[in-house]
Amino acid sequence: MRKHLHSKVHTVTGQTDYIDDDIADVIINGSKYERLRVRRHSIFDQSIPTKLAWQSVLLLALALVAPITLVYPSDVAALYPGGDPLTSSPTVLMPGALVLILELGTAVAHVAVAGSILRGGSALSERRMRNLLSVEEMASFYGFVGGVLLLGITLGFFLFGFSGVETIQQYSTTGQKGPFDPSGTGLSVATVSLFSFVASGVLFVVSRYLDTRL
């Protein structure tokens, strides 16, 4: 078990608080991989379990697309192909499908890196560790930058349905294709929402497991 490094902070009340210095703790007590990770000064220098937990939250947010459509006004719901938002495959769902693919791909990369660390341990060379960090950082970029952007677009368009049928129809006439027109993929709102919910739970469990191993 690690011994945590603490820093003393004297408050105005005269009491002494102890604050964990996580970075110093990693440098002193962490593995070679963790020491390299915190020294890269990257915006994605969080631990893999933390990143997987964040991805779990992103997928849980994506799963909200189905509940959002369930509370649409009836005239807005009628704009969806077949008049049933849950079983339809609207164009607006496509960014969400990309979010699901991106987050699952990123999660696979993160887990693969974690597996390599656990198998290799201290026997891994510094060059190999740096290569793994590069893979992890690239995956994090796509998962969090690309994923968050596409998630915002997806939820924004689905929430756009509450603006009223007149607004939606006006928007549809200005473009060649409306947001609720058929995508042609056959991928339904319910399918993306369900897969996202299940994947969110799986990633959270994996993140907690790796947190005890790394």
Side-chain angles (χ1 to χ4, degrees):
M1 184 178 294
R2 295 179 182 173
K3 295 180 180 179
H4 291 279
L5 182 68
H6 298 84
S7 300
K8 287 186 178 181
V9 177
H10 294 280
T11 64
V12 293
T13 61
Q15 297 177 341
T16 301
D17 295 330
Y18 290 89
I19 301 176
D20 285 339
D21 188 341
D22 294 332
I23 295 178
D25 179 43
V26 168
I27 292 175
I28 295 175
N29 301 306
S31 64
K32 289 193 296 183
Y33 184 85
E34 289 175 319
R35 291 196 293 271
L36 285 173
R37 174 173 57 79
V38 299
R39 286 171 175 164
R40 284 173 74 93
H41 303 294
S42 167
I43 60 174
F44 303 116
D45 62 358
Q46 300 80 14
S47 67
I48 290 177
T50 297
K51 292 176 183 177
L52 289 173
W54 288 356
Q55 288 185 265
S56 173
V57 173
L58 293 179
L59 288 175
L60 186 60
L62 178 60
L64 292 175
V65 293
I68 288 173
T69 62
L70 290 177
V71 293
Y72 275 159
S74 58
D75 55 351
V76 173
L79 296 176
Y80 278 79
D84 184 0
L86 284 181
T87 60
S88 66
S89 179
T91 303
V92 69
L93 183 64
M94 293 306 98
L98 289 177
V99 173
L100 184 57
I101 293 172
L102 267 179
E103 295 308 323
L104 291 180
T106 299
V108 169
H110 283 156
V111 172
V113 170
S116 297
I117 297 168
L118 292 174
R119 288 193 302 270
S122 58
L124 289 173
S125 66
E126 183 171 329
R127 180 178 180 181
R128 174 61 173 166
M129 290 182 183
R130 291 187 183 279
N131 288 337
L132 288 173
L133 278 168
S134 296
V135 171
E136 178 186 338
E137 192 167 336
M138 182 61 68
S140 298
F141 175 82
Y142 284 110
F144 293 116
V145 177
V148 169
L149 178 61
L150 288 171
L151 177 62
I153 292 173
T154 303
L155 293 180
F157 268 116
F158 272 89
L159 292 173
F160 180 63
F162 292 106
S163 63
V165 66
E166 295 84 3
T167 304
I168 297 173
Q169 289 175 338
Q170 288 178 357
Y171 174 86
S172 300
T173 58
T174 60
Q176 295 183 355
K177 194 170 186 178
F180 301 142
D181 289 342
S183 67
T185 64
L187 191 63
S188 71
V189 171
T191 299
V192 170
S193 181
L194 179 59
F195 268 85
S196 298
F197 182 78
V198 173
S200 173
V202 171
L203 290 191
F204 184 77
V205 171
V206 173
S207 75
R208 296 308 87 202
Y209 170 75
L210 290 178
D211 192 47
T212 65
R213 297 290 307 277
L214 292 174

